[in-house]
């Protein structure tokens, strides 16, 4: 049951993140066409005030599409940054504020310090090993759920700050530097490919480390995986081994 609660919290945090982009778009008068939670085949869809809201099968994030992509750089920066501000600042502070109202003895500053400390002290470890801290023990009371939403939103926002082109952090860097180096925008497709490779490594390396640590039982899976990877590369157009 814990994992279903965590999944629901991630979906809510993702929706709030994307609504942050929508709010930023409205602030700088960018018309939004679609807000999607998830990718791939659409499971549910509705339209409200000209914006299509949809839930998709692959619940691995979300996106907001503007009607017109030809928007000046300053407005695009606000549009991209607004989702990060929502996830990293507004949602956690809102949850902590409600917790303080429910329990006046609980300090807002202390709650924020407890929330942000793992990211400041050991960010890489927390990035790859945050699941235990996001699955609290005991019953899921309102207090626990608010704490979970605050931590999940912060996790979502900070991971979105990674400098990968498909994430908000990469898009912000591209927008900030393309004024000085216009060639970067022309190389966006190449940067996107590099970003996918780096993202694949971020996902694969921790899994590979676990497999290597238990090599006595996992070596058949490693062999089959290596063979499949070899065949995929061998049969891919333009690849030579």
């Amino acid at each position: 049951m814990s994992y279903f609660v965590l999944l629901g919290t991630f979906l809510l945090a993702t929706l709030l993140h994307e609504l942050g982009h929508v709010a930023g778009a409205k602030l700088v008068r960018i018309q939004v066409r679609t807000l999607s939670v998830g990718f791939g085949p659409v499971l549910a869809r509705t339209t409200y005030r000209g914006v299509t809201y949809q839930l998709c099968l692959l619940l691995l994030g979300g996106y907001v599409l503007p009607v017109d992509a030809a928007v000046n750089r300053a407005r695009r920066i606000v549009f991209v940054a607004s989702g990060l501000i929502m996830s990293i600042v507004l949602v956690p502070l809102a949850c902590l504020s409600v917790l303080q109202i429910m329990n006046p003895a609980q300090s807002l500053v202390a709650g924020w310090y407890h929330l942000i400390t793992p990211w400041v002290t050991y960010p890489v470890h927390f990035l790859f090993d945050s699941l235990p801290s996001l699955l609290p023990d005991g019953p899921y009371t309102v207090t626990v759920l608010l704490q979970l939403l605050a931590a999940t939103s912060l996790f979502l926002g900070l991971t979105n700050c990674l400098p990968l082109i498909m994430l908000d952090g990469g898009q912000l860097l591209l927008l900030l530097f393309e004024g000085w180096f216009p060639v970067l925008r022309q190389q966006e497709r190449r940067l996107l490919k590099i970003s996918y490779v780096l993202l694949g490594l971020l996902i694969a390396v921790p899994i590979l480390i676990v497999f290597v640590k238990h090599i006595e039982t996992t070596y058949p899976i490693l062999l089959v995986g290596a063979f499949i990877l070899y065949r995929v590369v061998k049969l891919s157009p333009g690849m030579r081994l």
Side-chain angles (χ1 to χ4, degrees):
M1 183 61 182
S2 299
Y3 293 100
F4 288 108
V5 173
L6 182 59
L7 175 60
T9 308
F10 263 105
L11 291 178
L12 178 57
T14 299
L15 176 60
L16 293 172
H17 176 87
E18 303 307 335
L19 287 174
H21 286 303
V22 173
K26 290 186 179 296
L27 183 65
V28 293
R29 288 179 287 185
I30 297 176
Q31 187 176 355
V32 172
R33 180 177 65 191
T34 304
L35 184 156
S36 178
V37 175
F39 301 89
V42 177
L43 300 177
R45 174 183 289 156
T46 186
T47 301
Y48 178 71
R49 292 189 176 181
V51 181
T52 298
Y53 299 88
Q54 61 187 33
L55 178 68
C56 297
L57 180 62
L58 302 177
L59 302 174
L60 300 174
Y63 58 88
V64 173
L65 293 178
V67 172
D68 184 10
V71 180
N72 70 56
R73 191 158 62 99
R75 291 163 69 191
R76 282 185 289 157
I77 288 174
V78 173
F79 172 61
V80 174
S82 57
L84 297 178
I85 294 171
M86 175 67 83
S87 293
I88 297 172
V89 181
L90 298 183
V91 173
L93 284 181
C95 292
L96 293 175
S97 298
V98 174
L99 288 172
Q100 187 177 33
I101 293 172
M102 294 171 57
N103 181 13
Q106 185 170 336
S107 168
L108 179 64
V109 175
W112 179 255
Y113 179 80
H114 175 75
L115 196 63
I116 201 70
T117 296
W119 287 100
V120 176
T121 52
Y122 42 94
V124 175
H125 174 75
F126 194 72
L127 177 65
F128 290 114
D129 195 26
S130 59
L131 186 60
S133 64
L134 295 178
L135 287 172
D137 297 326
Y140 283 92
T141 62
V142 174
T143 298
V144 171
L145 290 175
L146 285 171
Q147 291 172 341
L148 179 58
L149 178 59
T152 303
S153 181
L154 183 66
F155 175 86
L156 180 66
L158 291 177
T159 51
N160 254 291
C161 287
L162 291 172
L164 303 175
I165 296 299
M166 75 287 290
L167 301 178
D168 292 337
Q171 283 297 312
L172 271 181
L173 284 178
L174 190 60
L175 287 166
L176 291 172
F177 285 106
E178 71 177 5
W180 295 291
F181 307 101
V183 70
L184 285 176
R185 184 58 67 179
Q186 301 170 11
Q187 299 295 322
E188 186 173 4
R189 291 178 65 86
R190 180 174 295 179
L191 292 173
L192 184 61
K193 291 179 181 178
I194 295 172
S195 295
Y196 274 117
V197 171
L198 293 175
L199 181 62
L201 289 174
L202 281 173
I203 296 172
V205 168
I207 296 174
L208 186 61
I209 291 174
V210 172
F211 272 75
V212 171
K213 284 183 178 179
H214 302 86
I215 191 68
E216 298 86 355
T217 55
T218 61
Y219 75 91
I221 301 176
L222 287 175
L223 289 176
V224 172
F227 175 75
I228 292 174
L229 179 62
Y230 167 78
R231 295 299 297 172
V232 168
V233 174
K234 183 72 174 178
L235 297 176
S236 296
M239 299 295 290
R240 296 289 184 270
L241 288 180

